Amino acid sequence: MLTNTGGVFSIALTLAIVVSAIPATALFAIFAGVTSGIPTGTLQTFINGLHFAFWVMAGLSLISTVIAALPTREHELAAPGAAVEAA
């Protein structure tokens, strides 16, 4: 379930970053596969937006990896049903 959520979140965040700097008519043409009438600057802006979105996702992945590697607290390692002493 979390994998699916992560995938949906990454697509939504990537599209939000990419579409923020490009006119709607150019986006429709790019997603339709028609790039012949689009100025080169607009296409470069689209590619730069994709690069920025991928860097943001790489940063989030790195932060998530560091958080996941942090040691857990001792009471979380106790056997299920075992009493945990108050600290």
Side-chain angles (χ1 to χ4, degrees), residues 5-66:
T5 303
V8 170
F9 175 74
S10 66
I11 290 170
L13 184 61
T14 301
L15 284 177
I17 290 171
V18 170
V19 302
S20 65
I22 299 176
T25 54
L27 280 175
F28 292 140
I30 290 170
F31 290 133
V34 182
T35 58
S36 60
I38 300 174
T40 306
T42 303
L43 290 175
Q44 190 60 42
T45 303
F46 178 78
I47 292 170
N48 290 341
L50 283 177
H51 287 164
F52 181 71
F54 292 146
W55 280 113
V56 168
M57 288 300 164
L60 288 174
S61 294
L62 183 64
I63 291 169
S64 300
T65 302
V66 169

